[in-house]
Coordinates of all heavy atoms in Angstrom, one line a residue:
M1 N 10.5 114.5 132.8 CA 10.9 115.5 133.9 C 12.3 115.3 134.4 O 12.6 115.6 135.5 CB 9.8 115.4 135.0 CG 10.1 116.3 136.1 SD 8.6 117.0 136.8 CE 9.4 117.9 138.1
G2 N 13.1 114.8 133.6 CA 14.5 114.5 134.1 C 14.7 113.0 134.2 O 13.8 112.2 134.1
K3 N 16.0 112.7 134.3 CA 16.3 111.3 134.4 C 16.3 110.9 135.9 O 16.5 111.6 136.8 CB 17.8 111.1 133.8 CG 17.8 111.5 132.3 CD 19.2 111.2 131.8 CE 19.2 111.4 130.3 NZ 20.4 111.0 129.7
H4 N 16.1 109.5 136.1 CA 16.2 109.0 137.4 C 17.6 108.9 137.9 O 18.6 109.0 137.1 CB 15.6 107.6 137.4 CG 14.1 107.6 137.1 ND1 13.2 108.0 138.0 CD2 13.4 107.3 136.0 CE1 12.0 107.9 137.5 NE2 12.1 107.5 136.2
F5 N 17.8 108.7 139.2 CA 19.2 108.8 139.7 C 20.1 107.8 139.1 O 21.3 108.2 138.9 CB 19.1 108.5 141.2 CG 20.4 108.7 141.9 CD1 20.9 110.0 142.2 CD2 21.1 107.6 142.4 CE1 22.1 110.2 142.8 CE2 22.4 107.8 142.9 CZ 22.8 109.1 143.1
G6 N 19.7 106.6 138.8 CA 20.6 105.6 138.2 C 21.0 105.9 136.8 O 21.9 105.3 136.2
N7 N 20.3 106.8 136.1 CA 20.5 107.0 134.7 C 20.9 108.5 134.4 O 20.5 109.1 133.4 CB 19.2 106.7 133.9 CG 18.8 105.2 134.0 OD1 19.7 104.4 134.0 ND2 17.6 105.0 134.1
L8 N 21.7 109.0 135.3 CA 22.0 110.5 135.1 C 23.0 110.7 134.0 O 23.0 111.7 133.4 CB 22.6 111.0 136.5 CG 21.6 111.1 137.6 CD1 22.3 111.6 138.9 CD2 20.4 112.0 137.2
A9 N 24.0 109.8 133.9 CA 25.0 110.0 132.8 C 24.9 108.8 131.9 O 24.6 107.7 132.2 CB 26.4 110.1 133.4
R10 N 25.3 109.1 130.7 CA 25.4 108.0 129.7 C 26.9 107.7 129.5 O 27.7 108.5 129.0 CB 24.8 108.4 128.4 CG 24.8 107.4 127.3 CD 24.0 107.7 126.1 NE 24.1 106.7 125.2 CZ 23.3 106.6 124.2 NH1 22.3 107.4 124.0 NH2 23.5 105.5 123.4
V11 N 27.2 106.4 129.7 CA 28.6 106.0 129.6 C 28.7 105.1 128.3 O 28.0 104.2 128.1 CB 29.1 105.2 130.8 CG1 30.5 104.7 130.7 CG2 28.9 106.0 132.1
R12 N 29.6 105.5 127.4 CA 29.8 104.8 126.2 C 31.1 104.0 126.2 O 32.0 104.2 126.9 CB 29.8 105.8 125.0 CG 28.6 106.6 124.9 CD 28.6 107.5 123.8 NE 28.9 106.7 122.6 CZ 28.8 107.2 121.4 NH1 28.7 108.5 121.2 NH2 29.0 106.5 120.3
H13 N 31.1 102.9 125.5 CA 32.2 102.0 125.3 C 32.6 101.3 126.5 O 33.7 100.9 126.7 CB 33.4 102.8 124.7 CG 33.1 103.5 123.5 ND1 32.8 102.9 122.3 CD2 33.0 104.9 123.2 CE1 32.6 103.8 121.3 NE2 32.7 105.0 121.9
V14 N 31.7 101.1 127.5 CA 31.9 100.3 128.6 C 30.9 99.2 128.7 O 29.7 99.3 128.5 CB 31.7 101.2 130.0 CG1 31.9 100.3 131.2 CG2 32.8 102.2 130.0
I15 N 31.4 97.9 128.7 CA 30.6 96.8 128.7 C 30.6 96.1 130.1 O 31.7 95.9 130.6 CB 31.1 95.7 127.6 CG1 31.1 96.4 126.3 CG2 30.3 94.5 127.6 CD1 31.8 95.5 125.2
T16 N 29.4 95.9 130.6 CA 29.4 95.2 131.9 C 28.6 93.9 131.8 O 27.7 93.9 131.0 CB 28.6 96.1 132.9 OG1 27.3 96.4 132.4 CG2 29.4 97.4 133.2
Y17 N 29.1 92.9 132.5 CA 28.4 91.6 132.5 C 28.0 91.3 133.9 O 28.7 91.7 134.9 CB 29.4 90.6 132.1 CG 29.9 90.8 130.6 CD1 31.1 91.4 130.4 CD2 29.1 90.3 129.5 CE1 31.5 91.5 129.1 CE2 29.5 90.5 128.2 CZ 30.8 91.1 128.0 OH 31.1 91.3 126.7
S18 N 26.9 90.6 134.1 CA 26.5 90.3 135.4 C 25.8 88.9 135.3 O 25.4 88.5 134.3 CB 25.5 91.3 136.0 OG 24.3 91.3 135.2
L19 N 25.8 88.2 136.5 CA 25.2 86.9 136.5 C 24.1 87.0 137.5 O 24.2 87.6 138.6 CB 26.3 85.9 137.1 CG 25.8 84.5 137.2 CD1 25.5 83.9 135.8 CD2 26.9 83.7 137.8
S20 N 23.0 86.4 137.1 CA 21.8 86.5 137.9 C 22.1 85.8 139.3 O 22.7 84.8 139.3 CB 20.6 85.8 137.3 OG 19.6 85.6 138.2
P21 N 21.5 86.3 140.4 CA 21.7 85.6 141.7 C 21.1 84.2 141.7 O 21.5 83.4 142.5 CB 21.1 86.5 142.7 CG 20.6 87.7 142.0 CD 20.9 87.5 140.5
F22 N 20.2 84.0 140.8 CA 19.5 82.7 140.8 C 20.4 81.7 140.0 O 20.1 80.5 140.1 CB 18.1 82.8 140.2 CG 17.3 83.7 141.0 CD1 16.9 85.0 140.4 CD2 16.8 83.4 142.2 CE1 16.1 85.8 141.2 CE2 16.0 84.2 142.9 CZ 15.6 85.5 142.4
E23 N 21.4 82.1 139.3 CA 22.2 81.2 138.5 C 23.5 80.9 139.2 O 24.3 80.2 138.6 CB 22.4 81.8 137.1 CG 21.2 82.0 136.3 CD 21.5 82.6 135.0 OE1 22.6 82.6 134.5 OE2 20.5 83.0 134.3
Q24 N 23.9 81.6 140.2 CA 25.1 81.3 140.9 C 25.0 80.5 142.1 O 24.0 80.6 142.7 CB 25.9 82.6 141.1 CG 25.2 83.6 142.0 CD 25.9 84.9 142.1 OE1 26.9 85.0 141.6 NE2 25.3 85.9 142.8
R25 N 26.1 79.9 142.5 CA 26.0 79.1 143.8 C 26.5 80.0 144.9 O 27.5 80.6 144.9 CB 26.9 77.9 143.7 CG 26.4 76.9 142.6 CD 27.4 75.7 142.4 NE 28.3 75.4 143.4 CZ 29.3 74.6 143.3 NH1 29.6 74.1 142.1 NH2 30.2 74.4 144.2
A26 N 25.7 80.0 145.9 CA 25.9 81.0 147.1 C 27.2 80.5 147.8 O 28.1 81.3 148.3 CB 24.8 81.1 147.9
F27 N 27.3 79.3 148.1 CA 28.4 78.8 149.0 C 29.1 77.6 148.3 O 29.0 76.5 148.8 CB 27.9 78.3 150.4 CG 27.2 79.4 151.1 CD1 25.9 79.5 151.3 CD2 28.0 80.4 151.8 CE1 25.3 80.6 152.0 CE2 27.5 81.4 152.4 CZ 26.1 81.5 152.6
P28 N 29.8 77.8 147.3 CA 30.5 76.7 146.6 C 31.7 76.3 147.4 O 32.5 77.1 148.0 CB 30.9 77.2 145.3 CG 31.1 78.6 145.5 CD 30.0 79.0 146.5
N29 N 31.9 75.0 147.6 CA 33.1 74.5 148.3 C 33.3 75.0 149.7 O 34.4 75.3 150.2 CB 34.4 74.8 147.5 CG 34.3 74.3 146.1 OD1 33.7 73.2 145.9 ND2 34.9 74.9 145.2
I30 N 32.2 75.3 150.4 CA 32.4 75.9 151.8 C 33.0 74.9 152.8 O 33.8 75.3 153.6 CB 30.9 76.3 152.3 CG1 31.1 77.1 153.6 CG2 30.0 75.1 152.6 CD1 31.5 78.5 153.5
M31 N 32.8 73.6 152.6 CA 33.4 72.6 153.5 C 34.8 72.3 153.2 O 35.6 72.1 154.0 CB 32.5 71.4 153.5 CG 31.1 71.6 154.0 SD 31.1 72.3 155.7 CE 31.0 70.9 156.7
S32 N 35.1 72.2 151.9 CA 36.5 71.8 151.5 C 37.5 73.0 151.5 O 38.6 72.8 151.8 CB 36.5 71.2 150.2 OG 36.0 72.1 149.2
H33 N 37.0 74.2 151.2 CA 37.9 75.4 151.1 C 37.7 76.4 152.2 O 38.6 77.0 152.7 CB 37.8 76.0 149.7 CG 38.3 75.1 148.6 ND1 39.6 74.7 148.5 CD2 37.6 74.5 147.6 CE1 39.7 73.9 147.4 NE2 38.5 73.8 146.9
G34 N 36.4 76.7 152.5 CA 36.1 77.7 153.4 C 36.5 77.5 154.8 O 37.1 78.4 155.4
I35 N 36.2 76.4 155.4 CA 36.5 76.2 156.8 C 38.0 76.1 157.0 O 38.6 76.7 157.9 CB 35.7 75.0 157.3 CG1 34.3 75.3 157.4 CG2 36.2 74.6 158.7 CD1 33.4 74.2 157.8
P36 N 38.8 75.3 156.2 CA 40.2 75.3 156.4 C 40.8 76.7 156.1 O 41.8 77.1 156.8 CB 40.7 74.4 155.3 CG 39.6 73.5 155.1 CD 38.4 74.4 155.2
N37 N 40.3 77.5 155.3 CA 40.8 78.9 155.0 C 40.6 79.7 156.3 O 41.4 80.6 156.6 CB 40.1 79.5 153.9 CG 40.8 80.7 153.3 OD1 42.0 80.9 153.6 ND2 40.1 81.6 152.7
V38 N 39.4 79.6 157.0 CA 39.1 80.4 158.2 C 40.2 80.0 159.2 O 40.7 80.8 160.0 CB 37.7 80.1 158.6 CG1 37.5 80.7 160.1 CG2 36.7 80.8 157.7
G39 N 40.4 78.7 159.4 CA 41.4 78.2 160.4 C 42.8 78.8 160.1 O 43.5 79.2 161.0
R40 N 43.2 78.8 158.8 CA 44.5 79.2 158.4 C 44.6 80.7 158.7 O 45.7 81.2 159.3 CB 44.8 79.0 156.9 CG 46.1 79.4 156.4 CD 46.2 79.3 155.0 NE 45.2 80.0 154.2 CZ 45.2 81.3 153.9 NH1 46.2 82.1 154.4 NH2 44.2 81.9 153.2
R41 N 43.6 81.5 158.4 CA 43.7 82.9 158.6 C 43.7 83.3 160.1 O 44.4 84.2 160.6 CB 42.4 83.6 158.0 CG 42.5 83.7 156.5 CD 41.4 84.4 156.0 NE 41.4 84.5 154.5 CZ 40.7 85.3 153.8 NH1 39.8 86.1 154.4 NH2 40.8 85.4 152.5
F42 N 42.9 82.5 160.9 CA 42.9 82.7 162.4 C 44.2 82.4 163.0 O 44.7 83.2 163.8 CB 41.8 81.8 163.0 CG 41.7 81.9 164.4 CD1 41.1 83.0 165.0 CD2 42.4 81.0 165.3 CE1 41.1 83.1 166.5 CE2 42.3 81.1 166.6 CZ 41.6 82.2 167.2
A43 N 44.9 81.3 162.5 CA 46.2 80.9 163.1 C 47.2 81.9 162.7 O 48.2 82.1 163.5 CB 46.5 79.5 162.6
S44 N 47.1 82.5 161.5 CA 48.2 83.5 161.1 C 48.0 84.8 161.8 O 49.0 85.5 161.9 CB 48.1 83.7 159.6 OG 46.9 84.4 159.3
Q45 N 46.9 85.2 162.4 CA 46.7 86.4 163.0 C 46.6 86.4 164.5 O 46.7 87.4 165.2 CB 45.4 87.1 162.5 CG 45.3 87.4 161.0 CD 46.4 88.5 160.7 OE1 46.6 89.4 161.4 NE2 47.1 88.2 159.6
V46 N 46.5 85.2 165.1 CA 46.3 85.1 166.5 C 47.6 85.7 167.3 O 47.4 86.2 168.4 CB 46.0 83.6 166.9 CG1 47.2 82.7 167.0 CG2 45.2 83.6 168.2
L47 N 48.8 85.4 166.8 CA 49.9 85.9 167.5 C 50.1 87.4 167.3 O 50.9 88.0 168.1 CB 51.1 85.2 167.0 CG 51.3 83.7 167.4 CD1 52.5 83.0 166.8 CD2 51.2 83.5 168.9
K48 N 49.4 88.0 166.4 CA 49.5 89.5 166.3 C 48.4 90.2 167.1 O 48.6 91.4 167.5 CB 49.3 89.9 164.8 CG 50.3 89.4 163.9 CD 50.0 89.8 162.4 CE 51.1 89.2 161.5 NZ 50.7 89.4 160.1
V49 N 47.4 89.5 167.5 CA 46.3 90.1 168.1 C 46.2 89.8 169.6 O 46.0 90.7 170.5 CB 44.9 89.8 167.5 CG1 43.7 90.2 168.2 CG2 44.9 90.2 166.0
V50 N 46.5 88.6 170.0 CA 46.3 88.2 171.4 C 47.3 88.8 172.4 O 46.9 89.3 173.4 CB 46.3 86.6 171.5 CG1 46.3 86.2 172.9 CG2 45.1 86.1 170.8
P51 N 48.6 88.9 172.1 CA 49.6 89.4 173.0 C 49.3 90.9 173.4 O 49.2 91.2 174.6 CB 50.9 89.3 172.4 CG 50.8 88.1 171.5 CD 49.4 88.2 171.0
P52 N 49.0 91.8 172.5 CA 48.7 93.2 172.8 C 47.4 93.2 173.7 O 47.3 94.0 174.7 CB 48.5 93.9 171.6 CG 49.2 93.2 170.6 CD 49.1 91.7 171.0
L53 N 46.4 92.4 173.3 CA 45.1 92.4 174.2 C 45.4 91.9 175.5 O 44.8 92.4 176.5 CB 44.1 91.6 173.5 CG 43.4 92.2 172.2 CD1 42.5 91.1 171.6 CD2 42.8 93.4 172.5
A54 N 46.2 90.8 175.7 CA 46.5 90.3 177.0 C 47.3 91.3 177.8 O 47.0 91.5 179.0 CB 47.3 89.0 176.8
I55 N 48.3 91.9 177.2 CA 49.1 93.0 178.0 C 48.1 94.1 178.4 O 48.2 94.6 179.5 CB 50.2 93.5 177.1 CG1 51.3 92.3 177.0 CG2 50.8 94.8 177.7 CD1 52.4 92.7 176.0
G56 N 47.2 94.6 177.5 CA 46.3 95.6 177.9 C 45.4 95.2 179.0 O 45.1 96.0 179.9
Y57 N 44.9 94.0 179.0 CA 44.0 93.5 180.0 C 44.7 93.4 181.4 O 44.2 93.8 182.4 CB 43.5 92.2 179.7 CG 42.6 91.6 180.9 CD1 41.4 92.0 181.1 CD2 43.1 90.6 181.7 CE1 40.7 91.6 182.2 CE2 42.4 90.0 182.7 CZ 41.2 90.5 183.0 OH 40.5 90.0 184.0
L58 N 46.0 92.9 181.4 CA 46.8 92.9 182.6 C 47.1 94.3 183.1 O 47.0 94.5 184.4 CB 48.1 92.1 182.3 CG 48.0 90.7 182.1 CD1 49.3 90.1 181.6 CD2 47.4 89.9 183.3
I59 N 47.4 95.2 182.3 CA 47.6 96.6 182.8 C 46.3 97.2 183.3 O 46.4 97.8 184.4 CB 48.2 97.5 181.7 CG1 49.6 97.0 181.3 CG2 48.1 99.0 182.0 CD1 50.2 97.7 180.1
Y60 N 45.2 96.9 182.7 CA 43.9 97.5 183.1 C 43.6 96.8 184.5 O 43.2 97.6 185.4 CB 42.8 97.2 182.1 CG 41.5 97.6 182.6 CD1 41.1 98.9 182.6 CD2 40.5 96.6 183.1 CE1 39.8 99.3 183.0 CE2 39.3 97.0 183.5 CZ 38.9 98.3 183.5 OH 37.7 98.7 183.9
S61 N 43.7 95.5 184.6 CA 43.3 94.9 185.9 C 44.3 95.3 187.0 O 43.8 95.6 188.2 CB 43.3 93.4 185.7 OG 44.6 92.9 185.4
W62 N 45.6 95.5 186.8 CA 46.5 95.9 187.8 C 46.1 97.4 188.2 O 46.1 97.7 189.4 CB 47.9 95.9 187.2 CG 48.9 96.6 188.2 CD1 49.4 96.2 189.3 CD2 49.3 98.0 188.0 NE1 50.2 97.1 189.9 CE2 50.2 98.2 189.1 CE3 49.1 99.0 187.1 CZ2 50.8 99.5 189.3 CZ3 49.7 100.2 187.3 CH2 50.5 100.4 188.4
G63 N 45.8 98.2 187.2 CA 45.4 99.6 187.5 C 44.2 99.7 188.4 O 44.1 100.5 189.3
T64 N 43.2 98.9 188.1 CA 42.0 98.9 188.8 C 42.2 98.4 190.3 O 41.7 99.0 191.2 CB 40.9 98.0 188.1 OG1 40.8 98.4 186.8 CG2 39.6 98.0 188.8
E65 N 43.0 97.4 190.4 CA 43.3 96.9 191.8 C 44.1 97.9 192.6 O 43.8 98.1 193.8 CB 44.0 95.5 191.7 CG 43.2 94.4 191.2 CD 44.0 93.2 191.0 OE1 45.2 93.1 191.4 OE2 43.5 92.2 190.4
E66 N 45.0 98.5 191.9 CA 45.8 99.6 192.6 C 45.0 100.8 193.0 O 45.2 101.3 194.1 CB 47.0 100.0 191.7 CG 48.0 100.9 192.3 CD 48.9 100.2 193.3 OE1 48.9 99.0 193.4 OE2 49.6 101.0 194.0
F67 N 44.1 101.2 192.2 CA 43.2 102.3 192.5 C 42.3 102.0 193.7 O 42.2 102.8 194.6 CB 42.3 102.6 191.2 CG 41.3 103.6 191.5 CD1 41.6 105.0 191.7 CD2 39.9 103.3 191.6 CE1 40.6 105.9 192.0 CE2 38.9 104.3 191.8 CZ 39.3 105.5 192.1
E68 N 41.8 100.7 193.7 CA 40.9 100.3 194.8 C 41.7 100.3 196.1 O 41.3 100.6 197.1 CB 40.2 99.0 194.5 CG 39.2 99.0 193.5 CD 38.0 99.9 193.8 OE1 37.7 100.0 195.0 OE2 37.5 100.5 192.9
R69 N 43.0 99.8 196.0 CA 43.8 99.7 197.2 C 44.2 101.1 197.7 O 44.2 101.4 198.9 CB 45.2 99.0 196.9 CG 46.1 98.8 198.0 CD 47.4 98.1 197.7 NE 48.2 99.0 196.8 CZ 49.0 100.0 197.4 NH1 49.0 100.2 198.7 NH2 49.7 100.8 196.6
L70 N 44.5 102.0 196.8 CA 44.8 103.4 197.2 C 43.6 104.2 197.7 O 43.8 105.2 198.5 CB 45.5 104.2 196.1 CG 46.8 103.7 195.7 CD1 47.4 104.3 194.5 CD2 47.9 103.8 196.8
K71 N 42.4 103.8 197.4 CA 41.2 104.5 197.8 C 40.9 104.1 199.3 O 40.3 105.0 200.0 CB 40.0 103.9 197.0 CG 39.3 105.1 196.3 CD 38.2 104.7 195.4 CE 37.5 103.4 195.6 NZ 36.3 103.2 194.8
R72 N 41.3 103.0 199.8 CA 41.1 102.7 201.2 C 41.9 103.4 202.1 O 43.1 103.8 201.8 CB 41.3 101.2 201.4 CG 40.3 100.3 200.7 CD 40.4 98.8 201.2 NE 41.7 98.3 200.9 CZ 42.0 97.6 199.8 NH1 41.0 97.3 199.0 NH2 43.2 97.0 199.6
K73 N 41.4 103.7 203.3 CA 42.1 104.4 204.4 C 43.1 103.3 205.1 O 42.7 102.2 205.2 CB 41.3 105.0 205.4 CG 40.4 106.1 204.9 CD 39.5 106.7 205.9 CE 38.7 107.8 205.4 NZ 37.8 108.3 206.4
N74 N 44.2 103.9 205.5 CA 45.2 103.0 206.2 C 44.7 103.0 207.7 O 44.8 104.0 208.4 CB 46.5 103.5 206.1 CG 47.6 102.6 206.7 OD1 47.3 101.5 207.1 ND2 48.8 103.1 206.7
P75 N 44.3 101.8 208.3 CA 43.9 101.8 209.7 C 45.0 102.1 210.7 O 44.7 102.6 211.8 CB 43.5 100.3 209.9 CG 43.4 99.7 208.5 CD 44.2 100.5 207.6
A76 N 46.2 102.0 210.3 CA 47.4 102.3 211.2 C 47.4 103.8 211.4 O 47.9 104.3 212.5 CB 48.7 101.9 210.6
D77 N 46.9 104.6 210.5 CA 46.9 106.1 210.7 C 45.9 106.6 211.8 O 46.1 107.6 212.3 CB 46.6 106.8 209.4 CG 47.7 106.6 208.3 OD1 48.8 106.2 208.7 OD2 47.4 106.7 207.1
Y78 N 45.0 105.8 212.1 CA 43.9 106.1 213.1 C 43.9 105.4 214.4 O 43.0 105.3 215.0 CB 42.5 106.0 212.4 CG 42.4 106.8 211.1 CD1 42.6 106.1 209.9 CD2 42.3 108.2 211.1 CE1 42.5 106.9 208.7 CE2 42.2 108.9 210.0 CZ 42.3 108.2 208.7 OH 42.3 109.0 207.6
Q79 N 45.0 104.7 214.6 CA 45.1 103.8 215.8 C 45.1 104.5 217.1 O 44.4 104.1 218.1 CB 46.4 103.0 215.7 CG 46.3 101.6 215.9 CD 47.6 100.8 215.6 OE1 48.6 101.4 215.4 NE2 47.5 99.5 215.7
H80 N 45.7 105.7 217.3 CA 45.8 106.4 218.5 C 44.9 107.6 218.6 O 45.2 108.6 219.3 CB 47.3 106.8 218.7 CG 48.3 105.7 218.7 ND1 48.3 104.7 219.6 CD2 49.2 105.3 217.8 CE1 49.2 103.8 219.3 NE2 49.8 104.2 218.2
D81 N 43.8 107.6 217.9 CA 42.9 108.8 218.0 C 41.8 108.7 219.0 O 40.9 109.4 219.1 CB 42.1 108.9 216.6 CG 43.0 109.4 215.5 OD1 44.1 109.9 215.9 OD2 42.7 109.4 214.3
Q82 N 41.9 107.8 220.0 CA 40.9 107.6 221.0 C 41.0 108.5 222.1 O 41.4 109.2 222.7 CB 40.9 106.2 221.5 CG 40.7 105.4 220.3 CD 40.1 104.1 220.5 OE1 39.5 103.8 221.6 NE2 40.1 103.2 219.6

C-alpha cells in the first residue's frame, strides 16, 4: 500500500556507515580534554558577553529607580495648602 516514510526514495551510489551506540564511548577523555575546553571557551567569550549585560542591567536599574522617584509627589508643593 505504498512505502513507509523513511523509504520514500531510493538513493543510488551513496554509501553510509554508522557505528552502533553500544560500540562507541559516550564520554571519551571528558576529564583531560572536555573540562579544560569548557574553561577555555568560557574565558574567550566572557569579555564579549558580560559588559553588555552589565551595562543593560545598570540602565534598567537606573530607569526603574528614576521611575519610582518621579512617581512620588513632591511634599514641598503641598506645604501651604492648609
Side-chain angles (χ1 to χ4, degrees):
M1 179 142 173
K3 296 185 178 186
H4 293 284
F5 185 75
N7 298 324
L8 292 178
R10 183 173 176 158
V11 180
R12 298 181 60 174
H13 307 292
V14 175
I15 300 171
T16 58
Y17 297 97
S18 65
L19 183 65
S20 169
F22 300 108
E23 294 180 15
Q24 60 186 352
R25 292 176 23 195
F27 298 105
N29 304 324
I30 188 78
M31 297 305 266
S32 62
H33 295 293
I35 293 175
N37 194 24
V38 168
R40 180 187 57 80
R41 288 181 178 195
F42 178 79
S44 70
Q45 296 296 318
V46 79
L47 292 178
K48 294 178 185 174
V49 174
V50 171
L53 288 176
I55 291 170
Y57 174 75
L58 291 174
I59 291 172
Y60 175 77
S61 63
W62 170 80
T64 304
E65 290 173 9
E66 186 71 11
F67 173 71
E68 291 296 328
R69 185 185 67 81
L70 292 173
K71 238 178 22 173
R72 290 193 297 265
K73 293 180 180 178
N74 187 4
D77 293 342
Y78 305 100
Q79 230 172 4
H80 302 293
D81 284 348
Q82 305 207 16

